[in-house]
């Protein structure tokens, strides 16, 4: 069935450095790829998304890139700050029924 | 808008008891999702409603789980009887599904502990 693989499971970076999280999806018909951030004790919140007709999207310090041929997409966070510490989830939407297939999550740790 | 509202925030119960989780989606949204999150299995979709109708319940673990959406502003997830392996955080999310823009907005979750 459809699945989304996310790497790494844990990422530790120095404050101010960049962080990159990568996801690979299996359903070539997927057309929407959101990224969610989950802080401790809270529900996941959308931080950025990209659609299949776009290769890259940027919003201040965060950016997402999509390679439809290779079926992978990545989240880039530049100039990391302590408040970026959280668990990040990627997802791919099934074209058939709008459901999201979720990655397993990446715990991002920003070291001061 | 207050966002997605879930209650209770925490629930501790004993094995065999009935548990009911409640969700109020964002007004105007037409889709509602129930998820379960555990360390071992991550974020799992249990059931998805569109316009109050269950569309896909293939993620519901077994017959002990049931979900209803009697109207556009309320949904329940019931576990009867509960078991220790049901301990998890249960999230409700809602969206306006149009095929173009359908961001899912999550509630704060209900942390369920079954002793």
């Amino acid at each position: 069935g459809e699945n989304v693989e996310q790497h790494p499971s844990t990422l530790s970076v120095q404050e101010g450095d960049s962080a990159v999280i990568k996801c690979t999806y299996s359903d070539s018909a997927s057309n929407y790829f959101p990224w969610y951030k989950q802080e401790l004790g809270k529900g996941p919140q959308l931080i950025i998304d990209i659609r299949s007709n776009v290769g890259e999207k940027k919003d201040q310090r965060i950016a997402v890139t999509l390679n439809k041929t290779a079926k992978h997409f990545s989240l880039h966070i530049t100039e990391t700050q302590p408040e970026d510490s959280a668990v990040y989830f990627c997802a791919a939407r099934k074209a058939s029924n709008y459901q999201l297939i979720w990655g397993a999550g990446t715990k991002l740790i920003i070291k001061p | 808008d207050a966002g997605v509202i879930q209650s209770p925030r925490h629930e501790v119960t004993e094995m065999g008891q009935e548990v009911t989780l409640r969700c109020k989606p964002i007004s105007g949204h037409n889709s509602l999702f129930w998820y379960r999150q555990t360390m071992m299995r991550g974020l799992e979709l249990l059931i998805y409603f569109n316009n109050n109708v269950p569309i896909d319940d293939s993620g519901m673990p077994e017959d002990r789980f049931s979900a209803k959406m009697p109207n556009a502003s309320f949904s329940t997830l019931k576990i009867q009887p509960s078991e220790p392996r049901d301990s998890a955080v249960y999230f409700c999310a809602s969206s306006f599904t149009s095929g173009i823009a359908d961001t899912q907005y999550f509630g704060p979750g209900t942390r369920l502990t079954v002793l």
Side-chain angles (χ1 to χ4, degrees), chain A residues 31-32 36 38 41-46 49 51 89 93-94 97-100 102-104, chain B residues 9 33 35 37 42-43 45 48 56 91 97-108:
Chain A
N31 57 7
Y32 173 65
Y36 282 75
Q38 185 176 23
K42 298 183 179 180
Q45 302 296 318
L46 180 76
D49 56 17
R51 301 183 192 281
F89 291 94
R93 185 176 66 186
K94 293 165 66 173
N97 62 8
Y98 306 131
Q99 289 183 34
L100 294 178
W102 294 84
Chain B
R9 293 295 311 277
F33 307 82
Y35 289 91
Q37 186 176 41
L43 200 59
L45 177 66
Y48 155 46
D56 185 352
F91 289 104
T97 298
S98 65
I100 301 174
D102 53 1
T103 300
Q104 291 187 23
Y105 295 86
F106 282 74

Side-chain angles (χ1 to χ4, degrees), chain B residues 1 14 17 20-21 26-28 35 43 56 64 81-83 86 92 95-96 98 104:
Chain B
D1 199 312
E14 292 188 347
Q17 296 298 306
T20 299
L21 311 182
I26 293 173
S27 177
Y35 289 91
L43 200 59
D56 185 352
R64 297 185 298 106
S82 58
E83 297 182 3
D86 301 332
C92 174
S95 72
F96 179 73
S98 65
Q104 291 187 23

Side-chain angles (χ1 to χ4, degrees), chain A residues 7-60:
Chain A
H7 300 282
S9 57
T10 304
L11 179 60
S12 183
V13 302
Q14 204 70 40
E15 181 179 350
D17 288 349
S18 296
V20 180
I21 302 170
K22 299 181 179 181
C23 289
T24 304
Y25 60 98
S26 60
D27 182 3
S28 57
S30 291
N31 57 7
Y32 173 65
F33 308 89
W35 284 89
Y36 282 75
K37 176 183 181 182
Q38 185 176 23
E39 297 176 330
L40 201 60
K42 298 183 179 180
Q45 302 296 318
L46 180 76
I47 55 171
I48 195 168
D49 56 17
I50 192 166
R51 301 183 192 281
S52 57
N53 58 345
V54 175
E56 183 174 358
K57 183 177 178 181
K58 191 173 182 180
D59 182 4
Q60 300 184 340

